[in-house]
Amino acid sequence: QSVLTQPPSVSGAPGLRVIISCTGSSSNIGAGFDVHWYQQLPGTTPKLLIYDNTYRPSGVPDRFSGSKSGTSASLAITGLQAEDEADYYCQSYDTTLRRVFGGGTKLTVL
Amino acid sequence: EVQLVESGGDLVKPGGSLRLSCAASGFNFNTYNMSWVRQTPGKGQEWISSISSDRTYIDYADPVKGRFSTSRDNDKNSLYLQMDSLRAEDTAVYYCARDLPENDAFDVWGQGTMVTVSS
């Protein structure tokens, strides 16, 4: 069981918007630690998608955005494309466990 | 091109040992903190260990503390993970990852190497 909780799966039609949630606690996200998001396309290695809650590394489309509030964070993907179909993971820091991940969310583009 | 290439994964019996290596290229390895992260189908991603650029700080996740040891050779642009007293639950794909500077995110990942612990 992961320290950060994500929905196992989400889906959306091409062109629409989906949101993936990441819920933590007062010892990690709620303590003020930043949240990062990774995209793992099928058969590939994880790729940093969002860091420090809202920042995109160069090359990441602005269709991807992140936010954080309280003990939770969210990743929003707008204008869904077939190539967005992947697993998405959130990550933060925990005062006891150090770096922690969510269990991952599988995005299916319908 | 920034690249991390892991090697050393194998099938090993419970209680056995294994040493993973990670060869870095395309960036100034000696200025970056580095980490190991593992991934299993059941547990997802799990941070294992981190080492500072100058080796003065090394940290381990509780499940591997006392059994795993992380080191680096900045002259060889290489990161290592010595794994002893291996258990079935250590079975995973092990990734070498570069730490985003002054951050706990990982901005570059290797392709991973598979470690299977089974009798």
Side-chain angles (χ1 to χ4, degrees):
Chain A
Q1 190 168 352
S2 301
V3 174
L4 305 179
T5 301
Q6 297 180 234
S9 63
V10 297
S11 61
L16 296 189
R17 176 178 183 248
V18 294
I19 294 177
I20 299 173
S21 62
C22 174
T23 302
S25 68
S26 58
S27 65
N28 41 69
I29 299 176
F33 294 109
D34 291 323
V35 178
H36 321 297
W37 291 91
Y38 301 89
Q39 177 192 58
Q40 188 171 24
L41 297 169
T44 70
T45 196
K47 168 191 169 184
L48 181 63
L49 200 63
I50 298 286
Y51 66 97
D52 291 355
N53 310 312
T54 61
Y55 295 93
R56 288 184 304 275
S58 62
V60 174
D62 59 6
R63 300 187 297 105
F64 296 90
S65 63
S67 64
K68 174 190 152 184
S69 178
T71 58
S72 296
S74 295
L75 172 70
I77 309 172
T78 58
L80 266 181
Q81 300 179 5
E83 55 262 38
D84 297 333
E85 196 159 279
D87 293 326
Y88 293 84
Y89 295 89
C90 61
Q91 181 229 324
S92 186
Y93 188 89
D94 185 272
T95 53
T96 301
L97 301 172
R98 278 88 82 210
R99 300 189 212 192
V100 291
F101 288 88
T105 298
K106 183 177 181 58
L107 169 63
T108 300
V109 180
L110 301 171
Chain B
E1 179 193 4
V2 174
Q3 199 170 11
L4 298 171
V5 178
E6 302 93 335
S7 60
D10 205 348
L11 170 63
V12 60
K13 288 181 168 51
S17 296
L18 209 55
R19 189 192 195 212
L20 305 184
S21 299
C22 171
S25 59
F27 65 99
N28 291 328
F29 180 74
N30 60 6
T31 65
Y32 284 86
N33 298 341
M34 299 293 296
S35 296
W36 290 98
V37 178
R38 66 187 180 187
Q39 182 174 20
T40 62
K43 291 185 65 177
Q45 308 277 6
E46 181 182 22
W47 167 78
I48 292 301
S49 176
S50 295
I51 183 169
S52 62
S53 58
D54 61 1
R55 301 186 298 249
T56 56
Y57 176 80
I58 306 176
D59 194 14
Y60 301 94
D62 290 343
V64 306
K65 195 173 293 185
R67 300 188 298 121
F68 289 13
S69 176
T70 294
S71 61
R72 64 190 294 164
D73 185 334
N74 287 342
D75 291 333
K76 295 183 177 179
N77 290 340
S78 293
L79 176 71
Y80 306 101
L81 182 66
Q82 176 67 39
M83 303 186 294
D84 298 321
S85 304
L86 281 162
R87 306 168 180 167
E89 54 265 35
D90 295 319
T91 295
V93 175
Y94 283 74
Y95 293 100
C96 162
R98 189 179 80 174
D99 289 11
L100 189 65
E102 299 183 16
N103 202 295
D104 55 52
F106 309 106
D107 69 341
V108 180
W109 297 64
Q111 88 288 350
T113 187
M114 183 70 205
V115 173
T116 303
V117 184
S118 175
S119 54

